[in-house]
Amino acid sequence: MTYVANPARYDKMEYRRCGKSGIRLPEISLGLWHNFGGVDTYETYRSILHTAFDAGVTHFDLANNYGPPAGSAEENFGSILKKDFLPYRDELIISSKAGYLMWPGPYGEWGSRKYLISSCDQSLKRMGLEYVDIFYSHRPDPDTPMEETMGALDSIVRSGKALYAGLSNYNPEQTKEALAILKDLGTPCLIHQPKYSMLVRDAEAGLMDVLGDNGVGCIPFSPLAQGLLTSKYLKGIPEGSRAALDHGFLQKEDLSDGLIAKIQKLNDLAEGRGQSLAQMAIAWLLKDQRVTTVLIGARRVSQLQNSLGALENKAFSAEELAQIETILK
């Protein structure tokens, strides 16, 4: 069946300026970290991508190691891009990253110039693209000079293989150093992707201030803390959930009684707001105007639609914010 995008796809979605750049991103972006790999169902994730774009989600986020197996998310996305989205390429922001292990030997991970440029070439080939819109250093490399890693990002942008450079998982001090180098090279950093949610608040310890002060966008990943900030685990571990999978990042031992009690209280508060817990968790991140867009994942179309529903109620009263802080402490 030929895909034709919803003509009303831009009617409801709101778009935020990414730092001081000319780029605006939808308040919700779709990440392909999970659920788009070789172990997943093609027609399911194809439907997720269609539904996202039809709702005004213009940003699809990938990395070279997404799957499993590594590389398969890019291959699958490339297949769907060719089949369904080529007429809309100029309406899309497509990003990829490199930093984690992709091939054997000393050049298959981290942040060397050789690894990053080779990785970018491989990602483009897997997706069938001439360029990505954003290419990230996926994690800082403790053994490679920052000048080399940032110089590689600069080269990738100047070669036309990416339009913008990004960072992910860099702490505030590393981010400051990287931003200064990129600025001197003439390829300023567009965006930073930290792990950030109600349950993981590290980004508030300096990073958000660095990004705000330097005019860099922020795109939090894992806003639902791998599914913890949903009602999914309030009555145990459902079959097929992330905590039930051997290859997932969320494991059964992560679900302590104390954590479940907090999640239950948050869920009660969300219900009082007329939202699901997932919707409240996404809206909570968007309360900070330094957050450009929230990066969500989806296993099913219904999950995506639930997350998009967060945009219907983004306002919090001072009392609600205080309640959330009390619960989390």
Side-chain angles (χ1 to χ4, degrees):
M1 185 175 67
T2 302
Y3 168 69
V4 178
N6 176 13
R9 59 191 174 276
Y10 296 116
D11 289 357
K12 292 185 178 180
M13 179 63 70
E14 293 186 21
Y15 299 82
R16 293 190 180 189
R17 180 80 49 194
C18 190
K20 293 180 181 177
S21 77
I23 287 293
R24 290 188 299 147
L25 295 177
E27 290 187 319
I28 287 180
S29 297
L30 181 62
L32 280 64
W33 180 15
H34 301 289
N35 309 317
F36 292 81
V39 300
D40 300 298
T41 304
Y42 182 87
E43 286 304 326
T44 299
Y45 51 72
R46 185 184 181 199
S47 296
I48 291 170
L49 288 166
H50 290 176
T51 303
F53 188 57
D54 284 345
V57 175
T58 54
H59 179 26
F60 298 143
D61 178 79
L62 299 103
N64 59 353
N65 65 322
Y66 286 177
S72 60
E74 288 183 328
E75 290 172 353
N76 292 335
F77 177 74
S79 171
I80 295 169
L81 179 71
K82 182 178 180 180
K83 185 179 296 185
D84 299 329
F85 288 110
L86 279 187
Y88 310 104
R89 173 64 183 99
D90 291 339
E91 297 182 42
L92 297 174
I93 297 290
I94 300 170
S95 62
S96 193
K97 317 176 196 70
Y100 289 93
L101 182 64
M102 279 300 291
W103 62 86
Y107 321 119
E109 63 179 325
W110 293 107
S112 71
R113 179 180 181 86
K114 177 173 177 60
Y115 169 71
L116 288 177
I117 292 178
S118 297
S119 291
C120 183
D121 289 342
Q122 292 180 20
S123 290
L124 294 177
K125 185 176 181 180
R126 281 190 288 267
M127 291 187 283
L129 289 171
E130 294 182 358
Y131 69 93
V132 289
D133 296 277
I134 308 168
F135 192 76
Y136 289 82
S137 169
H138 206 164
R139 60 173 173 171
D141 184 346
D143 297 320
T144 297
M146 189 74 77
E147 289 80 3
E148 179 176 344
T149 301
M150 295 307 109
L153 289 181
D154 174 66
S155 294
I156 288 167
V157 171
R158 290 185 184 277
S159 69
K161 296 175 184 177
L163 303 185
Y164 299 93
L167 304 173
S168 184
N169 297 306
Y170 281 59
N171 68 31
E173 292 72 27
Q174 293 163 335
T175 300
K176 281 183 184 178
E177 183 182 0
L179 296 183
I181 294 169
L182 285 171
K183 184 177 180 180
D184 287 344
L185 290 169
T187 301
C189 179
L190 174 74
I191 196 165
H192 189 293
Q193 189 173 133
K195 190 174 187 178
Y196 186 18
S197 70
M198 283 182 171
L199 298 179
V200 180
R201 308 280 289 271
D202 297 352
E204 296 172 2
L207 179 63
M208 296 303 295
D209 290 336
V210 171
L211 301 182
D213 292 345
N214 287 274
V216 177
C218 178
I219 176 170
F221 73 89
S222 291
L224 306 183
Q226 298 288 295
L228 288 174
L229 289 169
T230 70
S231 60
K232 182 185 302 181
Y233 297 108
L234 293 180
K235 297 180 180 179
I237 300 176
E239 184 178 350
S241 65
R242 286 187 185 174
L245 298 175
D246 292 335
H247 61 263
F249 282 81
L250 181 64
Q251 296 299 305
K252 295 177 182 178
E253 53 267 26
D254 297 327
L255 299 170
S256 67
D257 291 342
L259 178 58
I260 295 300
K262 287 184 178 183
I263 294 170
Q264 182 64 67
K265 291 178 181 178
L266 290 171
N267 189 66
D268 293 343
L269 179 57
E271 287 181 352
R273 287 170 45 85
Q275 289 182 306
S276 68
L277 175 53
Q279 290 170 340
M280 186 177 77
I282 292 168
W284 181 85
L285 285 168
L286 287 167
K287 75 185 187 308
D288 189 332
Q289 289 301 307
R290 295 171 298 184
V291 170
T292 310
T293 177
V294 176
L295 187 60
I296 65 163
R299 183 184 296 273
R300 297 180 298 274
V301 167
S302 59
Q303 287 182 340
L304 170 64
Q305 291 169 329
N306 181 269
S307 293
L308 290 169
L311 304 180
E312 297 174 9
N313 182 12
K314 296 179 290 184
F316 289 85
S317 68
E319 182 182 359
E320 287 173 330
L321 292 175
Q323 283 182 277
I324 290 169
E325 292 305 316
T326 299
I327 293 167
L328 292 175
K329 287 178 180 177

